[in-house]
Amino acid sequence: MEKDKDKRTTDIIPDGITNGGIAAILKGGSPTGNTSVSLGTRSLERRLSEAKVMYSGMIMICRTGSASIRVNFSMWKLCAGSVITLFPNDMVTLTERSEDFSVEVLEYDATLLREASLQMEQTVYSQLRADRCRTESPIVTNIINDMFSLLKIYFDQPECMCLDQLVLLQLKAFFVGFYDYIYRFPQKRKPEEGSPRVRELFNLFMMYLETHFKDSRDVAYYASLLNITPKYLNIIAQRITGNTVKALINEYVVMQLKLSLCSGNTSMKMLAGEYNFSDLSFFCRYFKQHTGMTPMQFVKSEAPKRT
């Protein structure tokens, strides 16, 4: 335990937004070393033309400049003071940014998110995902500023052994407080796209996609999980995103495949099996159809970005 504490240093590690990493991560955690958290102000990379899949959760506050960010097919505008919450398995693309754009980021392991949201009702969690960004909301901005200021005190103490527990408590307070805020001020909620039922079905589709993307790429499979017809699911997807269900499934699967390929922990043959491709040849053809590169060409193109 003591050895692990002494080894806590600032490292560059990859994340779901950028190829090279969003920030220098100050690794902290419990005495078991099972979780990690980070806090820092960073400027995101410009070259973010492709979507990235998040593997951790993040709360970001824009400090300077402005940007447009797409999260799971919804667009959000960020400016100084804007707060946005990202969750594991979110697909994120920074579509445009100003030269002076920078954000302060609290990043936390997915296990912390699960524990923080354990006692929250599903409706609360769904609302947080649907209404994840606050712009020109002084109350939310002040909450995050105070939260980050408090956490910095602990991050600045090398001997602090309870960073994950401290972040966990702050996350619980933030989630409950944010939920309370948007329900006390309904006029500040994001206007819903489509009827409540349409939005509910689309959110459920995204949840099923995040859980079952390795099991199937078939539209009918997800429609059956929702107890609706493939045609109706396609109508919902096009109403919310302007894209077909098949396009959404393929985009999400390809992003997950890229993440798996970049990790280098699984052979391509094993990946083909995990993602239920009939064989390695079909897996390679599918990947090239949607990226213009074979899996091997993609891995080679990413290698310089990770060094």
Side-chain angles (χ1 to χ4, degrees), residues 5 20 134 143 192 233 263:
K5 182 179 75 171
R134 294 283 95 190
I143 289 172
E192 292 188 346
L233 178 55
S263 71

Side-chain angles (χ1 to χ4, degrees), residues 3-288:
K3 182 178 180 181
D4 289 340
K5 182 179 75 171
D6 293 339
K7 286 177 64 179
R8 185 168 57 187
T9 57
T10 300
D11 299 321
I12 297 293
I13 66 172
D15 63 57
I17 293 185
T18 70
N19 292 323
I22 193 175
I25 300 300
L26 178 62
K27 291 185 177 179
S30 66
T32 60
N34 291 327
T35 61
S36 64
V37 291
S38 68
L39 181 65
T41 302
R42 298 293 179 263
S43 176
L44 303 186
E45 296 178 2
R46 296 182 187 179
R47 298 177 64 184
L48 296 175
S49 58
E50 294 185 6
K52 308 298 176 187
V53 178
M54 301 289 297
Y55 70 83
S56 58
M58 289 186 181
I59 297 175
M60 299 196 305
I61 181 169
C62 179
R63 291 304 187 194
T64 59
S66 60
S68 295
I69 188 170
R70 187 181 72 147
V71 184
N72 295 340
F73 317 108
S74 294
M75 291 297 302
W76 306 90
K77 297 286 187 180
L78 303 180
C79 59
S82 296
V83 174
I84 188 167
T85 304
L86 304 176
F87 297 95
N89 292 316
D90 277 344
M91 281 199 312
V92 182
T93 313
L94 193 66
T95 59
E96 58 184 43
R97 64 185 291 280
S98 64
E99 290 291 330
D100 59 342
F101 176 66
S102 67
V103 292
E104 188 166 9
V105 182
L106 173 66
E107 182 173 6
Y108 47 89
D109 190 87
T111 56
L112 277 182
L113 174 64
R114 284 193 291 271
E115 189 171 350
S117 60
L118 192 61
Q119 296 177 335
M120 288 196 307
E121 297 179 9
Q122 183 58 44
T123 53
V124 178
Y125 188 66
S126 297
Q127 185 63 48
L128 287 169
R129 292 184 64 116
D131 198 5
R132 62 177 71 230
C133 185
R134 294 283 95 190
T135 299
E136 298 179 355
S137 296
I139 294 177
V140 176
T141 300
N142 290 337
I143 289 172
I144 295 301
N145 281 333
D146 290 344
M147 174 180 167
F148 282 15
S149 294
L150 177 62
L151 287 175
K152 283 176 186 176
I153 296 174
Y154 297 107
F155 273 92
D156 288 341
Q157 301 178 55
E159 68 278 9
C160 183
M161 294 297 295
C162 301
L163 285 176
D164 57 344
Q165 290 94 335
L166 292 166
V167 170
L168 172 63
L169 292 171
Q170 291 296 316
L171 285 176
K172 286 183 176 180
F174 171 72
F175 290 152
V176 174
F178 188 89
Y179 179 76
D180 174 74
Y181 170 79
I182 59 180
Y183 270 85
R184 281 190 295 112
F185 300 97
Q187 70 275 15
K188 295 182 180 293
R189 296 184 205 172
K190 180 191 176 188
E192 292 188 346
E193 298 165 294
S195 67
R197 178 58 176 166
V198 166
R199 170 55 65 180
E200 178 187 8
L201 286 170
F202 181 76
N203 288 340
L204 282 173
F205 162 68
M206 287 302 304
M207 291 176 63
Y208 284 134
L209 181 58
E210 292 173 3
T211 306
H212 299 285
F213 64 91
K214 290 183 179 180
D215 301 329
S216 177
R217 296 172 296 282
D218 186 11
V219 176
Y221 173 84
Y222 293 97
S224 66
L225 292 176
L226 294 166
N227 293 313
I228 60 176
T229 66
K231 181 178 180 181
Y232 185 46
L233 178 55
N234 204 52
I235 291 173
I236 290 171
Q238 290 186 321
R239 186 174 299 174
I240 298 296
T241 70
N243 294 309
T244 65
V245 179
K246 191 65 175 175
L248 301 184
I249 294 172
N250 286 334
E251 183 175 357
Y252 192 82
V253 169
V254 168
M255 291 305 102
Q256 290 286 358
L257 283 172
K258 287 181 176 180
L259 195 63
S260 298
L261 288 168
C262 286
S263 71
N265 296 326
T266 309
S267 70
M268 293 184 191
K269 185 174 181 180
M270 290 181 65
L271 276 181
E274 283 183 13
Y275 281 75
N276 276 300
F277 289 96
S278 56
D279 53 41
L280 180 59
S281 177
F282 181 38
F283 165 63
C284 292
R285 288 198 305 272
Y286 175 89
F287 190 85
K288 186 173 183 179

